[in-house]
Amino acid sequence: MEIDPVLISIQFQIAILALAVPVLLTVIVNLDRRYESIHIIRLFQQSPEIWLFGITLVTNLFFVAWYVLSVNYGYWSEFEDYRRTFLLGGIPTLTAFQVIFLLFLIRKVVIFYTPDKLLKHLEVVFENEKELSFRALGDLLVSVVKRGEREIAIDAISFTHNLFQQKEYSQTGEEIHYPKSYYQFIEKLAQTLLAVNNKGFVFLEYRVFGATWLRPIRKNISTSNVTFHNIWIINASALEEKRQDLALHLWRQMHQYSLLNLRDYERYGVTGSYNYSSTKGEKRKLFEFMSHINALALYYGCYEYLNKAFRYTQNEPPKHPLLPKSMSDIFDLYYLVSDDDYEMLLFSGMYQFPDETGIDGEKITTLWFRKSVAILYLRQFTLRRHLSYEDPVSIPGFPKSQSKMKIWLEGLPYFLKFIEETRKDKKLLKELNMPDFTDKWFEENNQLLPEVIFDEIEIKLKDKMDETERAQDLSEEKLAKFKESSKDIISEALASVSELKNDTLTEEPEIIGKCKGKIIPFERTAFLDNIPFHHANFDSFVAEELSADIKTTLANSFHEASTENYSLSSVDMFKAIDKLLGGKDRAEYVLVNAAVFLPYIINHTEVKKDLSEEFYKGTPIFNLKWSSAKGGRALYLMKKQDLPFASTRPPLSSEIKDFSLIDLEIEGYDIWAGIIDLRDFATDESEKYLIRQNHQKYAVANIVCNLEISFSESRKIVELRQIIEGSTKNPDKQDLSAVDNSIFD
């Protein structure tokens, strides 16, 4: 009997279809049950064996269909010999390849079903599928931890370590950032280790919770805030579950890392005066981060962790790089949460306690952090000196910034309150294996009581603030800003004077209004750079007062210079103008408006058709926008030739010398400004500026104006005072008939 290879191949094809497709579906379902990982399934689906098997299967099915149709429908006899040979040889060949690829596929299934073989496979394919392979590795580790397969986890450690190391070495910056998948890897593995609580995986717990893979290996490389946040999340979960042993892994690892990998931080001052963007601040950054971990441990009552952390050392004499060395470190930590410039730790977001959210959560986080610092403060009294220059309880170094010194000064009573509350909490002190810190204990150990130390700190801090203030010269930058702002403000005030200024006045004028200038003493801190708080208007307060004086002087001058005065209603004022200017050329006259609100009259009276804010029936209106102190709201009607003449005189040479005055260079006017510092003046010298006590704390600002407003002696100016309906301060209202229409004849 002749063997038909095509028929045999077709039978094989049917058998393969019946076997492979259900098996593949079953494999995918079982992989999902085994690893609970979509990433491992995707990696399996991307296997070349599946792709090759699928290609040969589809191709062979096409060839078989071609063969069957051509035989059944009589086309076979019409095929050329090479086509028959191609089909008869191709079908068995493709079937043979199918069987081979199926065997390879079965081998791949075995690899994916066997965790240790899958681990080795991930190492092989990692370079081609980095992201997917890394996520699959994480899911594999989670799976083996759940099933307690300790040996496979041990094998995975070296591979995982190399991946984190490669990612670190691939970056060239000063700060290491890992991809999001790396942080998710750590978080997921940490959650699994917490859930299974299997002591057989201590080696893995040490690396995950101790941040062995996340912290930089190279020296002089900084840990990013995102990395710190990831470490915070997993260790916060451990402390929340009272897994103090896991948090201790972090303490021990960071202790060693700080001693061996990090240089000592450089202290440029206190409270936020560290350069966190450089490696010089990395040790300080770690120190503050671990202080927050301690605060969280105190919040959850993890006293065993705190006891072991406070005692842990690898040196003799002992070194504790993650704990304060001096009172300066203690005070820096306490005021850490009070410093507006502090950016490294964001308490309302990155390091807020897990159970606390919102504004109240931020307050609670700060509260427990300060409680932990109070414990560290008391701990300083239990430390022994190992070197002659060491003094754990010496007065702390003060900040250089006046604003930070002010924060310290205001916060001292609250800090002392935390310390006193901790001293009274005998149960807490016992849990932490600390002395009871009674007054007798301080006496027996030759130590000053905290309240005595804080009194001394307060006195020295105040002296330091006074000394720092006295030592500073007035800021050249702020002095320049004062003169610049003064020029702008006074220029704006003089613009109205210039608008009404009559430069064609020929006869001898009569001086009506004068504005000499402004001399104002003020605390010299307004013009210092290093101060507790900044004055919002240090550069403008003198000029603003002088500006108001100039405007008032101008308005008062029109009132004093007026030759006729009438008190009329809003409508009658304009009827009076019509009466006074009847038959005259209105363009030769001018109206000066001293704070009469024209928009209301325009919108609500019969005058609106002839009135705008710039003209009334062809007569121009100049708006002062402020009233006379004596004349109130009024309109002043006059000929243009009777507008005032304005002039200024320069200051005396002695005044220029005393105040170091400079010309503000306002066009058309001699306006000078300057400031004198009374710091080095004798008491009797300062009294002429009305400063009789603590004159060293004051400076005096002077803007010299010497403005004179003059009018022609033959002037005719009519004041039309506005009567405000309902006001109790109105002058006696006059009738329109009282207006003399011959004034301007």
Side-chain angles (χ1 to χ4, degrees):
M1 180 179 178
E2 184 178 352
I3 298 175
D4 187 349
V6 173
L7 182 60
I8 295 174
S9 298
I10 292 174
Q11 292 171 346
F12 262 104
Q13 188 81 355
I14 295 171
I16 291 172
L17 280 173
L19 173 66
V21 173
V23 167
L24 279 176
L25 293 175
T26 304
V27 166
I28 292 174
V29 171
N30 288 339
L31 281 177
D32 183 50
R33 291 175 180 172
R34 184 173 182 80
Y35 299 111
E36 298 178 354
S37 169
I38 188 66
H39 305 108
I40 292 178
I41 292 174
R42 286 178 181 172
L43 196 64
F44 175 74
Q45 290 172 338
Q46 292 180 12
S47 300
E49 290 86 348
I50 292 181
W51 180 77
L52 290 171
F53 177 76
I55 290 294
T56 54
L57 176 62
V58 171
T59 305
N60 206 8
L61 286 174
F62 173 74
F63 272 51
V64 169
W66 189 8
Y67 172 77
V68 171
L69 289 173
S70 61
V71 170
N72 290 341
Y73 288 96
Y75 297 115
W76 182 256
S77 59
E78 299 177 3
F79 280 179
E80 294 86 350
D81 290 341
Y82 76 90
R83 286 189 179 180
R84 293 179 184 177
T85 304
F86 180 72
L87 281 175
L88 293 174
I91 292 174
T93 303
L94 285 172
T95 303
F97 276 111
Q98 267 187 271
V99 173
I100 295 172
F101 292 147
L102 180 60
L103 294 175
F104 277 112
L105 183 56
I106 293 171
R107 176 178 171 272
K108 181 59 65 74
V109 170
V110 173
I111 290 174
F112 271 77
Y113 264 76
T114 311
D116 58 337
K117 293 182 179 180
L118 177 57
L119 177 63
K120 293 178 181 178
H121 175 71
L122 291 175
E123 294 181 24
V124 173
V125 302
F126 184 81
E127 286 302 320
N128 297 325
E129 288 287 348
K130 290 185 178 181
E131 183 67 19
L132 185 58
S133 297
F134 185 81
R135 292 181 180 275
L137 173 63
D139 294 341
L140 175 61
L141 264 176
V142 167
S143 176
V144 300
V145 168
K146 287 180 177 178
R147 293 197 301 271
E149 297 173 340
R150 185 173 181 273
E151 292 75 13
I152 300 174
I154 293 175
D155 293 338
I157 284 177
S158 177
F159 179 43
T160 305
H161 178 79
N162 289 337
L163 294 182
F164 275 89
Q165 188 174 4
Q166 288 172 17
K167 185 58 67 175
E168 176 187 334
Y169 277 85
S170 67
Q171 301 182 51
T172 56
E174 292 184 351
E175 194 172 80
I176 297 301
H177 297 271
Y178 291 102
K180 185 178 180 180
S181 58
Y182 281 60
Y183 296 119
Q184 291 174 340
F185 173 97
I186 294 294
E187 285 184 35
K188 192 172 182 179
L189 191 53
Q191 291 169 3
T192 305
L193 289 168
L194 266 175
V196 300
N197 193 15
N198 188 336
K199 296 300 181 184
F201 290 101
V202 172
F203 64 93
L204 197 55
E205 294 171 348
Y206 184 74
R207 288 164 172 81
V208 173
F209 290 92
T212 303
W213 292 329
L214 288 176
R215 63 173 175 79
I217 298 172
R218 293 175 292 169
K219 292 186 177 181
N220 304 329
I221 297 297
S222 178
T223 304
S224 70
N225 286 348
V226 178
T227 301
F228 270 122
H229 182 50
N230 182 264
I231 299 171
W232 169 268
I233 289 174
I234 61 177
N235 281 278
S237 300
L239 290 171
E240 188 176 10
E241 297 295 328
K242 295 294 191 296
R243 288 295 307 276
Q244 304 180 62
D245 56 318
L246 300 181
L248 279 168
H249 292 321
L250 178 67
W251 186 270
R252 296 182 183 115
Q253 280 277 57
M254 293 306 179
H255 176 100
Q256 184 178 10
Y257 174 63
S258 183
L259 284 176
L260 301 181
N261 287 57
L262 301 178
R263 298 179 294 179
D264 286 337
Y265 59 86
E266 294 188 4
R267 194 167 187 271
Y268 299 123
V270 289
T271 315
S273 300
Y274 304 92
N275 183 4
Y276 289 108
S277 62
S278 71
T279 54
K280 294 178 181 179
E282 178 69 5
K283 198 164 189 175
R284 178 69 189 186
K285 195 174 177 181
L286 178 60
F287 166 71
E288 291 171 356
F289 172 75
M290 294 307 299
S291 298
H292 281 82
I293 292 288
N294 292 345
L296 186 61
L298 181 64
Y299 173 74
Y300 282 123
C302 296
Y303 303 123
E304 180 186 351
Y305 162 84
L306 291 171
N307 272 317
K308 292 183 178 180
F310 287 174
R311 296 197 310 269
Y312 185 77
T313 185
Q314 294 178 332
N315 305 83
E316 189 60 43
K319 288 185 178 181
H320 302 280
L322 303 181
L323 293 171
K325 300 176 184 177
S326 65
M327 284 298 182
S328 293
D329 290 337
I330 294 288
F331 277 75
D332 286 351
L333 276 180
Y334 179 82
Y335 288 104
L336 195 63
V337 294
S338 302
D339 192 345
D340 294 336
D341 296 331
Y342 187 70
E343 296 178 353
M344 202 282 277
L345 298 179
L346 304 175
F347 303 101
S348 60
M350 292 180 66
Y351 300 100
Q352 196 161 326
F353 290 177
D355 292 339
E356 310 296 344
T357 57
I359 295 177
D360 289 339
E362 183 178 349
K363 291 178 180 177
I364 291 172
T365 300
T366 301
L367 173 70
W368 283 92
F369 180 80
R370 287 174 171 168
K371 283 185 177 182
S372 70
V373 177
I375 292 172
L376 293 173
Y377 175 90
L378 293 173
R379 175 183 172 273
Q380 292 297 113
F381 292 95
T382 67
L383 300 180
R384 291 187 301 167
R385 290 189 182 186
H386 297 283
L387 298 171
S388 59
Y389 60 82
E390 291 181 340
D391 187 359
V393 294
S394 62
I395 296 295
F398 296 141
K400 294 180 180 179
S401 163
Q402 286 279 74
S403 60
K404 289 183 173 64
M405 281 193 274
K406 185 174 185 294
I407 291 174
W408 274 43
L409 189 62
E410 293 175 348
L412 285 176
Y414 303 100
F415 190 8
L416 181 60
K417 182 181 178 182
F418 277 110
I419 294 169
E420 293 304 317
E421 288 177 353
T422 304
R423 288 178 62 193
K424 293 176 184 177
D425 194 343
K426 303 303 179 185
K427 181 180 178 182
L428 173 63
L429 294 174
K430 185 177 180 181
E431 291 280 5
L432 296 175
N433 293 324
M434 299 179 79
D436 55 10
F437 292 113
T438 61
D439 292 356
K440 183 178 180 182
W441 183 91
F442 280 95
E443 182 181 352
E444 290 175 349
N445 287 273
N446 297 318
Q447 301 283 7
L448 294 175
L449 289 169
E451 55 262 35
V452 176
I453 295 175
F454 271 66
D455 287 342
E456 184 179 355
I457 291 174
E458 182 178 356
I459 293 170
K460 290 187 175 182
L461 191 55
K462 289 180 178 178
D463 291 342
K464 179 68 174 177
M465 292 180 71
D466 289 341
E467 178 187 339
T468 303
E469 181 183 320
R470 287 195 303 270
Q472 293 182 76
D473 295 326
L474 299 186
S475 167
E476 291 295 333
E477 182 180 348
K478 288 190 174 183
L479 289 173
K481 180 66 175 174
F482 164 75
K483 292 166 185 175
E484 178 186 343
S485 298
S486 297
K487 178 179 179 179
D488 293 341
I489 293 169
I490 297 171
S491 295
E492 185 271 334
L494 289 173
S496 296
V497 178
S498 299
E499 190 176 16
L500 296 171
K501 186 176 178 182
N502 183 3
D503 293 325
T504 62
L505 195 63
T506 55
E507 61 181 274
E508 186 67 25
E510 178 187 358
I511 299 174
I512 300 296
K514 291 183 179 182
C515 182
K516 184 177 181 180
K518 211 72 179 177
I519 298 180
I520 299 180
F522 57 90
E523 291 187 6
R524 62 191 301 273
T525 52
F527 279 83
L528 300 180
D529 285 327
N530 185 7
I531 54 177
F533 54 88
H534 290 277
H535 297 250
N537 62 337
F538 74 92
D539 58 325
S540 61
F541 68 99
V542 181
E544 285 169 350
E545 290 204 20
L546 178 56
S547 172
D549 287 353
I550 292 172
K551 295 173 181 179
T552 302
T553 298
L554 182 59
N556 286 341
S557 297
F558 280 101
H559 171 72
E560 296 292 341
S562 61
T563 55
E564 299 289 338
N565 307 89
Y566 301 102
S567 300
L568 303 167
S569 68
S570 299
V571 174
D572 284 349
M573 283 194 304
F574 291 94
K575 290 181 179 179
I577 295 171
D578 293 338
K579 186 175 181 180
L580 290 166
L581 298 183
K584 297 177 177 62
D585 184 1
R586 289 177 175 265
E588 294 181 0
Y589 292 82
V590 64
L591 279 169
V592 176
N593 175 19
V596 174
F597 190 55
L598 295 181
Y600 179 83
I601 299 174
I602 295 171
N603 294 321
H604 297 88
T605 69
E606 60 194 67
V607 186
K608 59 183 178 181
K609 61 181 179 180
D610 299 312
L611 177 64
S612 70
E613 293 190 49
E614 292 79 27
F615 292 94
Y616 175 65
K617 292 183 177 180
T619 302
I621 301 175
F622 293 96
N623 294 288
L624 295 183
K625 296 183 181 179
W626 59 89
S627 63
S628 164
K630 298 178 181 179
R633 299 174 184 270
L635 294 175
Y636 295 93
L637 178 63
M638 70 199 79
K639 289 184 177 182
K640 289 182 178 179
Q641 64 189 34
D642 288 336
L643 284 170
F645 175 77
S647 63
T648 55
R649 291 180 291 102
L652 300 173
S653 58
S654 58
E655 198 172 12
I656 294 175
K657 180 180 179 182
D658 289 345
F659 281 90
S660 301
L661 297 176
I662 65 166
D663 188 353
L664 294 183
E665 299 179 351
I666 299 176
E667 186 177 355
Y669 300 95
D670 279 315
I671 310 295
W672 296 63
I675 293 178
I676 58 171
D677 190 350
L678 301 183
R679 178 184 59 182
D680 301 321
F681 277 44
T683 303
D684 57 343
E685 292 178 299
S686 65
E687 287 183 351
K688 63 182 177 181
Y689 304 111
L690 304 179
I691 306 295
R692 294 180 175 84
Q693 293 182 342
N694 297 324
H695 68 275
Q696 299 91 344
K697 291 180 173 289
Y698 288 86
V700 180
N702 186 10
I703 302 179
V704 180
C705 182
N706 290 332
L707 174 67
E708 295 178 347
I709 308 295
S710 306
F711 289 83
S712 167
E713 291 187 352
S714 60
R715 66 189 178 274
K716 292 180 181 179
I717 300 177
V718 179
E719 179 185 61
L720 303 172
R721 298 183 65 182
Q722 184 184 27
I723 296 295
I724 306 297
E725 298 296 334
S727 174
T728 59
K729 297 181 179 180
N730 284 325
D732 293 334
K733 183 177 179 181
Q734 294 174 273
D735 191 79
L736 188 61
S737 60
V739 177
D740 182 1
N741 60 356
S742 63
I743 293 175
F744 293 110
D745 290 344

